[in-house]
Amino acid sequence: MMTSRNNEAGSPEFVCQYEGSGRSACAGEPFYKLHEGKRYCVFHFPGEDKRRDFAQALQRRLTNRIFNFRGFWFPSEAQ
């Protein structure tokens, strides 16, 4: 189950700190986890331990017909 983590202020205005050109692809996604001091959404977070959360968030996007995956960090195997 994905654990939605808000930014420290609890504001829905979280902006993922992914540095590539695909940052807008995750607009509206909540804060997921810190990595090397940067705050990431589940799609841009670079870690294999996000498999289940990533799969759930990805399914939500597919259901909503949102197909922009620019810059997403896909785990090696979704659960």
Side-chain angles (χ1 to χ4, degrees):
M1 174 182 291
M2 187 161 116
T3 49
S4 289
R5 296 179 179 98
N6 292 327
N7 60 19
E8 291 166 8
S11 169
E13 298 174 20
F14 164 73
V15 176
C16 181
Q17 290 184 294
Y18 170 73
E19 294 181 3
S21 63
R23 186 182 327 188
S24 64
C26 68
E29 289 294 325
F31 169 65
Y32 181 65
K33 286 186 180 179
L34 284 173
H35 178 73
E36 296 180 355
K38 294 184 181 179
R39 297 155 42 89
Y40 290 93
C41 70
V42 70
F43 295 117
H44 290 116
F45 178 78
E48 290 291 330
D49 62 336
K50 69 174 187 177
R51 289 182 184 133
R52 180 175 292 152
D53 295 337
F54 181 90
Q56 289 174 347
L58 181 62
Q59 185 57 54
R60 185 181 69 247
R61 285 180 73 91
L62 294 174
T63 298
N64 291 321
R65 303 184 55 79
I66 302 170
F67 304 118
N68 183 351
F69 308 120
R70 190 172 197 155
F72 283 19
W73 196 96
F74 285 80
S76 61
E77 182 180 321
Q79 293 180 346

